[in-house]
Amino acid sequence: MGRLSRAQLQQLNRAKVLAAAREEFAARGYPGAKVDAIAERAGLTRGAVYSNFPGKRALYFAVLAELAELAQSGAGGSCGSGASRGTGAAGGSGASGGSEGSVASERLGERGGAAATFEEECSAPTALATFARSWMARLPLAADSATSHEGQGDAGPARLDRHLLSEVLADERTRRPYGQLLKLDALVLGLALERMRPADRIRRVRLAESVLTSLHGARQLADAAPGFIEPFTVINTCERLADAAPHDTWDPPHLPYVPHARPVDEPWPLAPTPGPSPAGSSLTGLADPTGQTGLTGLTGLTGLTGLTGFTGLTGLTGPADAERAACRPPVDAVRGVPARFGGDGVLAVLGLHRLEAVEEAVRAAPPDATVTAVLVSGSPDELIPLARLAVADVVGCLRATFPVSAWPRLQVVYDASGSLAAAAGVSAVSDGTEAAVRIVEGRIVARADGRGACHAAATAGVEHLAPTPS
């Protein structure tokens, strides 16, 4: 094996720390876990742990994010295709009270393997039922909660995340971003529901908020009050909400007062270039903008045992593997594929306090335009993993239960390093950042900053801002 570069060694050390933290949190629970014990498990110094993560909470968020993203990596895109895979409260025979399960939910259990045919029959109520079933399948059974306690039985992600909400609540620096992340989750789910019934032309974001309120409440009560949650009642409730949607309109009062975007004519650094580059993007120099290396694809890390759930952490065959882990292209978190930056559209750079603003771009952009939300933060080492976790929770269930045709035309990209923001001309970022650019034919033709920037960029008069053909 060749000598690893400093960057490659850092990627390996980070993977070791994440794996060790996963074991420590599983063995002792989050409150009992110690950074010194994590360092010992990883075979590293305490300083090496802190050189990768600012603290135990940031490490906890990162571990949960890795597990959530690994769990969703095999999700398909059709109603019912993922609902029958779970083994938790709603996915196995151990769930009590199955008689209350909806007709749609029962049918999903019978037809989970017939994705192609079932996708044609999928309706909004059925999609919500399967979404809820997929969510509830990750929660612990009442019997599991009664026999499991810290240090015994916390091996799965449904057990490890039991302290997530208390850690979020403990600090305003996490509460406010988390609220905006749930707004983003509701937007993603709401847009998918709208695409299930495009002829209705009804906003369904509030419906999505109601569904997620029920599901997050069920998650908390599954641990706080074992035996209280009846999973199929929750599934049935979510299904029925599809036909009892709350009144929902889109009329933000500030939009009429938003200044117009500034006309510009600048090259878009990520425009496609001739040659063998991946279609739709030119990613030269953008090394791992997420700031997260992930554990998938690292093979051969000797000495790390008991890593149930980390399916890709089995070894590293050489420096080239570590280099690839460090230089992954930006990924669209909604679809789990490399993000597309080459087409016409709107790119919004949003701090974690302003995520709901991306809906302004989604509603105003032309139908064929791609809207990309680039998530940035003033505390990326801690808050970007929290963002990854929150989005993966919803996107994993959405991919497993909604037909691909219903997935929203919105890309979500994490930019912990700020490199994507810099490419868009936003050199300094914070949790309050709100900026957007309009891209046409490989050129940035309009810019906007501050409140309403997404709306301004999306509604820019591209007919006179677009570059003149030569």
Side-chain angles (χ1 to χ4, degrees):
M1 173 185 278
R3 183 175 181 180
L4 296 177
S5 69
R6 180 177 180 180
Q8 292 166 344
L9 183 60
Q10 185 177 16
Q11 305 309 325
L12 290 181
N13 285 343
R14 183 183 179 86
K16 289 180 180 180
V17 172
L18 281 171
R22 162 72 165 83
E23 291 183 333
E24 179 71 6
F25 292 143
R28 302 180 183 276
Y30 176 78
K34 304 295 183 185
V35 173
D36 287 338
I38 293 171
E40 183 177 355
R41 287 177 184 269
L44 300 170
T45 65
R46 178 185 177 93
V49 174
Y50 281 112
S51 69
N52 285 281
F53 300 93
K56 187 173 80 167
R57 185 171 66 186
L59 188 50
Y60 182 52
F61 291 163
V63 167
L64 293 180
E66 292 287 348
L67 288 172
E69 289 173 345
L70 285 170
Q72 68 169 236
S73 61
S78 59
C79 289
S81 61
S84 62
R85 289 198 299 265
T87 57
S93 60
S96 61
S99 60
E100 291 193 41
S102 65
V103 172
S105 299
E106 293 171 357
R107 185 172 66 170
L108 290 172
E110 298 168 359
R111 301 193 59 178
T117 302
F118 191 63
E119 181 170 326
E120 299 174 0
E121 303 176 11
C122 188
S123 63
T126 299
L128 276 182
T130 55
F131 183 93
R133 185 183 180 100
S134 180
W135 181 287
M136 296 297 293
R138 300 174 301 178
L139 304 186
L141 294 167
D144 294 336
S145 298
T147 58
S148 172
H149 54 82
E150 297 290 1
Q152 298 181 18
D154 275 6
R159 313 306 300 151
L160 284 178
D161 71 358
R162 66 167 57 182
H163 300 288
L164 173 62
L165 189 60
S166 61
E167 284 306 301
V168 169
L169 289 172
D171 195 336
E172 176 65 20
R173 292 176 299 176
T174 50
R175 285 202 304 271
R176 188 173 177 186
Y178 192 64
Q180 284 292 299
L181 287 164
L182 295 189
K183 285 281 191 182
L184 178 61
D185 284 347
L187 176 61
V188 170
L189 178 56
L191 292 174
L193 289 168
E194 290 171 23
R195 291 174 68 87
M196 296 290 294
R197 293 178 174 177
D200 292 354
R201 302 182 64 84
I202 297 174
R203 182 175 183 262
R204 299 191 180 276
V205 176
R206 289 185 182 175
L207 166 59
E209 290 173 349
S210 300
V211 170
L212 292 179
T213 297
S214 298
L215 295 177
H216 278 284
R219 169 183 285 175
Q220 296 305 314
L221 287 172
D223 277 322
F228 176 75
I229 292 295
E230 169 46 62
F232 284 102
T233 299
V234 177
I235 294 169
N236 182 265
T237 298
C238 291
E239 179 182 29
R240 292 177 182 275
L241 280 172
D243 292 316
H247 178 68
D248 198 352
T249 59
W250 173 248
D251 54 356
H254 66 282
L255 291 188
Y257 307 99
V258 171
H260 293 298
R262 303 186 304 277
V264 297
D265 183 10
E266 304 169 2
W268 171 228
L270 302 187
T273 56
S277 301
S281 63
S282 176
L283 304 173
T284 304
L286 281 179
D288 192 20
T290 66
Q292 313 297 327
T293 62
L295 302 181
T296 304
L298 296 180
T299 58
L301 283 179
T302 58
L304 298 178
T305 58
L307 303 180
T308 304
F310 287 90
T311 57
L313 189 59
T314 55
L316 182 77
T317 60
D321 289 341
E323 188 65 30
R324 282 192 293 271
C327 299
R328 297 180 306 171
V331 172
D332 170 19
V334 175
R335 291 162 184 78
V337 299
R340 297 173 291 108
F341 296 106
D344 294 353
V346 178
L347 185 137
V349 180
L350 299 171
L352 296 189
H353 292 175
R354 296 297 304 143
L355 298 183
E356 63 184 317
V358 74
E359 186 173 3
E360 298 175 11
V362 171
R363 301 298 179 189
D368 58 345
T370 298
V371 176
T372 303
V374 177
L375 276 53
V376 297
S377 174
S379 305
D381 291 339
E382 181 168 64
L383 295 183
I384 292 298
L386 180 62
R388 292 167 53 213
L389 171 61
V391 173
D393 264 349
V394 166
V395 167
C397 293
L398 186 144
R399 287 189 208 162
T401 57
F402 277 67
V404 175
S405 60
W407 294 3
R409 62 179 185 99
L410 170 67
Q411 296 189 124
V412 175
V413 179
Y414 310 115
D415 188 16
S417 67
S419 57
L420 287 173
V426 183
S427 57
V429 299
S430 70
D431 290 306
T433 295
E434 185 174 347
V437 296
R438 181 79 166 90
I439 302 165
V440 176
E441 296 179 3
R443 308 283 294 180
I444 297 176
V445 300
R447 289 186 173 280
D449 304 281
R451 188 169 176 83
C454 293
H455 177 79
T459 56
V462 296
E463 67 281 354
H464 68 271
L465 292 177
T468 303
S470 56

